[in-house]
Amino acid sequence: MAVTAIDETSPSAEPVDAPAPMSHREIMEALSGLLLAMFVAMLSSTVVTNALPVIVTDLEGTQTGYTWVVVATLLAMTATTPIWGKLADLFSKKLLVQSALVIFSLGSVMAMLAPSMEVLIGARVVQGLGVGGLTALVQVVIATMVSPRERGRYSGYIGAAFALATVSGPLIGGVVVDSPLGWRGTFGIGLPFAVAAFLVLQAKLHLPVVRRPVKIDYLGATLLMSGVSVLLVWVSLAGTQFAWGSWQTAAMVPVGALLLAAAVRVETHVAADPVVPMRLFRDRTTSLATAASVLVGLSMFGATVYLSQYFQSARGMSPTEAGLMSVTMVGGLLVSSIVTGRIISATGLWKRYLVGGMVLVVIGMGLLGTIDATTSLIWIGVFMAVLGLGLGATMQNLVLAVQNNTAQADIGAASSVVAFFRSIGGSVGVSVLGALLAHQVSAKVMAGLADMGIDGSHESGAIPDLDALPAPVRALYESAFGEATGHVFLAAVPFAMLALVCVLLIREVPLRTTLDLDEAA
């Protein structure tokens, strides 16, 4: 189906007005709206982190439900990110960002009113659709405005917004949960920021408008979303709702694989304008950065999402206190993202900071793998700071490396591919490591109860209210959560090490000072 689309980047289309390059002030004005949108996307997950134990207890959920409140958003974000990226290569980027903000806001209202875990998980899916757009599109719009050489400077601001949302989210969420608003108020925190971002973008984001005929690859998009969704649902449920070797596994894995194989076939041989252009993977940097993104997402999201539960379930902290514990990790992330961004813009060299960041991620994960319910909180803060320093130097620079090797017409697809595979890794990590955590906690609690002479056969994986438990049983739960959390981080270390290998193999190309490859040539 051929349609006429509005695009701001295509080199082959005729611009309505050929605008002058944006000044630093104009970029900063537009960037303010984009940073608000990025803040909304990050806040959607961090502000709920400390509320999850309370939410699951209030709605009578289980550890599986706890995992799915996180996975639902990641799954929807993952499945739609490449589609948002491709649409950014075809339509008005400003309109797309604003649409993503509206979708996110609708999901937030649904979550605030959710009467059950099932409805809440559905609302989180809607939120994930919007977050997928915001995560992919903010990077794309910045790439449209700023050359890769200067982009490191502005990427530091993105890292700062990410850090601010990460540190303020748990703090705000913890305070709101402990207030009369309760956990439902945490889903409304992002709404004022979404409205502000919408209005600022409407007033300040002005990109060149280009018209060109395109064909939207509906078949490829549907197959891609379906295949990814089936496999992620399987990873999320296997080991908890059914055995890894069950008939459900035998049915879901081949179906997911066939759907993805069909999607690859459509993208390479059928679609005139594919959602994920396979030619992108001919570039070594793009392929290795994509592989590293999967592994970083798996280790980072898969392990850190359970830190808040550790502080509340293993250390007996309130949601607000658990939020304060994240300050060290986010402080490290904030410092490293801003400092490395400015140094990279000044020198044009980026690989050494990417490698150094991954080394710190591996070290931080390994150190956190040693924690249990009795580890000094000071040492845990130090370990989290090391991990934060590594993540701040890694996440934005993987995207920057890919954008530097990509033509402007494919910048949306290329940027979203990195975010897409990082989200896949995160979804798999949260699901698999969450299942590992639940299994270990359940096994340790049942064994401990048996040693006390208490019948633990009714143990269902539900998250208990620790304050209502007798002191010996509470100590047992805290010990089980503490030890299992350390094992989760240890399980994530090999994936972080593989990501380091991928980064080492990337060939460094100095950042170009032009917006497009053709201009650089």
Side-chain angles (χ1 to χ4, degrees):
M1 172 182 175
V3 298
T4 300
I6 299 176
D7 180 62
E8 299 97 328
T9 61
S10 172
S12 61
E14 293 295 328
V16 176
D17 295 300
M22 297 177 69
S23 67
H24 175 67
R25 178 176 179 177
E26 291 172 330
I27 292 174
M28 289 304 299
E29 288 177 344
L31 189 63
S32 62
L34 295 171
L35 292 180
L36 276 172
M38 178 64 76
F39 183 77
V40 167
M42 295 299 103
L43 195 68
S44 67
S45 58
T46 60
V47 78
V48 179
T49 302
N50 285 328
L52 280 174
V54 178
I55 292 172
V56 176
T57 300
D58 187 49
L59 296 181
E60 300 180 352
T62 64
Q63 182 67 44
T64 300
Y66 184 108
T67 299
W68 263 92
V69 172
V70 179
V71 170
T73 302
L74 284 174
L75 192 153
M77 179 178 71
T78 301
T80 56
T81 293
I83 298 171
W84 284 108
K86 186 59 183 179
L87 291 176
D89 288 331
L90 306 178
F91 297 101
S92 168
K93 295 173 179 60
K94 180 165 80 171
L95 181 60
L96 288 171
V97 175
Q98 291 176 318
S99 299
L101 286 167
V102 171
I103 293 171
F104 168 81
S105 300
L106 291 175
S108 298
V109 173
M110 291 171 59
M112 289 174 63
L113 304 176
S116 65
M117 286 293 292
E118 291 76 15
V119 175
L120 177 61
I121 291 170
R124 293 286 286 172
V125 170
V126 178
Q127 277 191 314
L129 298 177
V131 172
L134 296 174
T135 304
L137 295 170
V138 168
Q139 295 277 5
V140 174
V141 174
I142 291 176
T144 304
M145 299 188 299
V146 186
S147 71
R149 178 66 177 266
E150 290 296 314
R151 207 169 298 155
R153 174 185 182 186
Y154 296 102
S155 294
Y157 296 121
I158 296 179
F162 180 89
L164 180 62
T166 307
V167 70
S168 65
L171 286 172
I172 295 172
V175 171
V176 171
V177 171
D178 290 336
S179 75
L181 291 174
W183 62 263
R184 295 184 186 276
T186 61
F187 292 105
I189 295 297
L191 293 176
F193 296 102
V195 172
F198 188 99
L199 296 177
V200 171
L201 289 172
Q202 182 64 32
K204 298 298 183 182
L205 182 60
H206 304 292
L207 296 175
V209 178
V210 178
R211 299 180 183 276
R212 68 185 177 106
V214 298
K215 291 184 178 180
I216 301 177
D217 180 20
Y218 294 109
L219 178 59
T222 302
L223 290 171
L224 182 64
M225 287 180 61
S226 301
V228 169
S229 298
V230 168
L231 292 179
L232 289 181
V233 168
W234 166 67
V235 168
S236 303
L237 298 181
T240 54
Q241 301 300 306
F242 51 80
W244 289 96
S246 65
W247 67 265
Q248 290 94 332
T249 294
M252 297 176 77
V253 173
V255 168
L258 286 173
L259 287 170
L260 289 180
V264 171
R265 174 69 181 177
V266 169
E267 298 296 274
T268 53
H269 294 89
V270 178
D273 218 337
V275 174
V276 180
M278 294 299 165
R279 64 180 180 277
L280 295 176
F281 296 102
R282 296 172 189 164
D283 177 67
R284 175 178 172 179
T285 296
T286 299
S287 299
L288 289 170
T290 299
S293 295
V294 174
L295 297 164
V296 168
L298 197 155
S299 57
M300 180 189 70
F301 288 111
T304 57
V305 74
Y306 296 107
L307 271 175
S308 177
Q309 189 177 15
Y310 164 80
F311 289 124
Q312 294 182 60
S313 298
R315 308 308 292 258
M317 293 184 180
S318 69
T320 302
E321 292 169 336
L324 286 170
M325 286 303 301
S326 66
V327 169
T328 56
M329 183 169 72
V330 176
L333 192 153
L334 175 64
V335 170
S336 65
S337 63
I338 293 177
V339 171
T340 58
R342 289 192 170 274
I343 294 175
I344 288 170
S345 284
T347 63
L349 303 175
W350 46 268
K351 182 174 178 179
R352 64 196 65 179
Y353 306 104
L354 193 54
V355 172
M358 277 310 311
V359 169
L360 289 177
V361 168
V362 172
I363 294 173
M365 287 285 183
L367 291 173
L368 286 168
T370 65
I371 67 174
D372 57 25
T374 62
T375 306
S376 167
L377 293 178
I378 295 176
W379 281 115
I380 292 177
V382 172
F383 300 163
M384 292 170 66
V386 172
L387 179 60
L389 286 169
L391 292 175
T394 301
M395 294 177 61
Q396 299 300 328
N397 291 330
L398 281 172
V399 179
L400 181 62
V402 171
Q403 289 177 340
N404 187 53
N405 281 29
T406 304
Q408 193 74 356
D410 286 330
I411 205 74
S415 302
S416 64
V417 160
V418 178
F420 170 64
F421 282 99
R422 185 172 63 219
S423 298
I424 285 181
S427 302
V428 173
V430 169
S431 303
V432 173
L433 298 181
L436 173 65
L437 180 71
H439 174 74
Q440 290 208 0
V441 169
S442 178
K444 293 179 186 300
V445 167
M446 290 180 67
L449 291 176
D451 291 340
M452 295 178 188
I454 302 174
D455 181 16
S457 59
H458 61 283
E459 170 65 34
S460 62
I463 300 176
D465 181 359
L466 295 181
D467 292 332
L469 295 177
V473 178
R474 172 172 178 157
L476 173 62
Y477 269 100
E478 290 177 342
S479 175
F481 270 108
E483 189 174 341
T485 302
H487 292 166
V488 164
F489 278 100
L490 280 180
V493 169
F495 301 105
M497 294 179 69
L498 286 174
L500 174 59
V501 172
C502 292
V503 168
L504 286 170
L505 294 175
I506 293 177
R507 181 171 61 89
E508 181 168 35
V509 177
L511 298 179
R512 65 178 190 266
T513 57
T514 59
L515 280 175
D516 208 346
L517 285 173
D518 293 340
E519 299 171 23

